[in-house]
Amino acid sequence: MVRLIDLSVPTGPNAGEATPVQIDTLTHEQGPAVLGLKTSDFPDGMAISSETITLTTHTGTHMDAPLHYGPHSGGEPARSIDKVPLEWCIGPGVRLDVRHIKPGEEIGEDDVTEALGVAGHTVGDGDIVLLWTGADRLWGSTEYLTTYPGLSGGATRFLVERGVRVIGIDAWGLDRPMASMIEDYRRTGDRETLWPAHVYGREREYLQLEKLANLGQLPGPTGFTVLCFPIPVVNAGAGWTRVVAVTGRFLESDE
């Protein structure tokens, strides 16, 4: 039996968003006037509705493309979200349980290898890795913006060098919270403390899924397929994405 599990959060005004979202609705009743007609010209006096939305490409569940990390990746022009190969956006899902790592701390390479061992999985080409921090329980509150761990640059390298093209997290961002990184930078002067997971994307291409949800509803660490096709916003560094996990034989022939 095929089961679909929505791993996305809604897109709209929310305390968990760092930037405001504005939705202006053209109602059914307002529609006729915009078209130069009268309400009496339409059945029930109503035309069709529409919405105008002001938001960033990083609002809601979204995919970061290599262009977000820098203008080049591996010495080549970095791909924008509309240039991301669709083949990268579907693959076997691997959920890594890192809920024991405290907010503000790094998810390091040792943490990733330990979680893979618990999952009984050797990560490989085409796997879509999802970091289960549990931070999505804070979605809808301002705590969501600051209370989560983040992936280290070394752990990012470890996964990407083994063929992972997509890494997702059920938190506001893949790196640690901004305040944690900036505090460490001001204390140490070490620039490598600033957005290390993102900056690694300047070396090798990979995609990030941020603001995932419902990873606890997955059947286990493996045994599901992830679909995560972004909206192809031209020349943009990110795009809104409906991320769905699928269990069952939906890709297999009945023959």
Side-chain angles (χ1 to χ4, degrees), residues 35-237:
L35 298 170
L37 299 171
K38 303 185 297 295
T39 55
S40 59
D41 294 325
F42 286 87
D44 302 319
M46 294 184 291
I48 53 179
S49 66
S50 180
E51 295 79 33
T52 300
I53 306 176
T54 303
L55 75 174
T56 77
T57 52
H58 299 268
T59 298
T61 303
H62 64 277
M63 177 181 286
D64 288 345
L67 181 60
H68 176 53
Y69 319 138
H72 295 88
S73 182
E76 298 293 331
R79 300 185 207 228
S80 54
I81 197 68
D82 55 312
K83 300 296 193 303
V84 167
L86 293 180
E87 293 79 9
W88 293 7
C89 303
I90 180 171
V94 183
R95 183 188 67 186
L96 300 185
D97 189 349
V98 291
R99 289 176 293 167
H100 60 286
I101 299 178
K102 296 178 181 179
E105 294 184 353
E106 275 193 338
I107 303 167
E109 183 177 337
D110 288 346
D111 299 310
V112 168
T113 55
E114 179 182 348
L116 283 168
V118 172
H121 183 77
T122 300
V123 75
D125 190 38
D127 282 349
I128 296 179
V129 172
L130 309 178
L131 301 173
W132 186 19
T133 72
D136 63 324
R137 71 188 185 283
L138 300 173
W139 172 249
S141 72
T142 54
E143 289 181 89
Y144 181 77
L145 302 171
T146 59
T147 311
Y148 58 91
L151 195 64
S152 72
T156 305
R157 180 188 303 275
F158 173 85
L159 292 171
V160 175
E161 286 184 349
R162 283 158 178 77
V164 174
R165 292 286 195 184
V166 182
I167 304 172
I169 193 168
D170 59 350
W172 188 81
L174 187 63
D175 278 289
R176 294 186 301 148
M178 285 188 283
S180 298
M181 292 188 290
I182 292 172
E183 179 183 353
D184 284 352
Y185 172 66
R186 287 175 174 164
R187 177 173 52 83
T188 66
D190 183 359
R191 292 184 296 179
E192 293 188 3
T193 62
L194 298 175
W195 284 268
H198 280 71
V199 172
Y200 172 73
R202 299 177 186 178
E203 296 183 33
R204 294 187 66 168
E205 289 187 312
Y206 83 101
L207 311 170
Q208 296 177 8
L209 292 173
E210 297 177 326
K211 301 181 189 174
L212 297 176
N214 304 321
L215 298 187
Q217 296 184 22
L218 295 169
T222 57
F224 59 94
T225 300
V226 176
L227 293 83
C228 51
F229 299 107
I231 299 298
V233 184
V234 176
N235 296 326

Side-chain angles (χ1 to χ4, degrees), residues 20-42:
V21 180
Q22 181 175 333
I23 302 178
D24 297 312
T25 301
L26 177 68
T27 68
H28 299 93
E29 293 78 9
Q30 294 168 334
V34 172
L35 298 170
L37 299 171
K38 303 185 297 295
T39 55
S40 59
D41 294 325
F42 286 87

